[in-house]
Amino acid sequence: TVAGAVLFAIGARLSAACSIGVVGRLSSGDLGALATIGGMVVALLLLPRSALADEPPVWAGQLQVPMAVAMAIIAGIIGIVALRRGE
C-alpha cells in the first residue's frame, strides 16, 4: 500500500495531475498524458500483488493482463484520435 501510494504520488507529480487530471488532459489533446497511462499499465504488469483477506473471486484475478492490454489499446486509440484532430 505504501509503495503504491509513493508511486501514485511520483506519477501525479511528474504528470502535474492526479489520475482524474490525466483523463482531463487527454481529453484536451495533451498527448504527454499518455505516458501516465503507459506507466499504469507497466506498474500493473510488473509490481507484485499481495493477497488480501477479502480477496475477490479467483476468476477476477485472471483479468489483470487483459485489462492492462485493453487500457493500452484504448490509450492508443485516444492518441490516434487526438493526433488526427490536431491535423
Side-chain angles (χ1 to χ4, degrees):
T1 301
V2 173
V6 169
L7 285 173
F8 181 79
I10 291 170
R13 178 70 177 127
L14 290 175
S15 67
C18 64
S19 58
I20 301 298
V22 168
V23 173
R25 288 173 59 190
L26 280 172
S27 66
S28 297
D30 183 0
L31 295 181
L34 283 176
T36 304
I37 304 294
M40 289 178 187
V41 171
V42 170
L44 177 67
L45 294 174
L46 294 180
L47 293 177
R49 189 173 156 276
S50 60
L52 303 173
D54 57 344
E55 192 69 32
V58 174
W59 60 266
Q62 298 169 351
L63 296 177
Q64 288 179 345
V65 172
M67 287 298 287
V69 170
M71 286 175 57
I73 291 170
I74 290 170
I77 292 169
I78 291 171
I80 291 169
V81 169
L83 283 174
R84 289 188 179 202
R85 282 187 175 182
E87 295 179 357

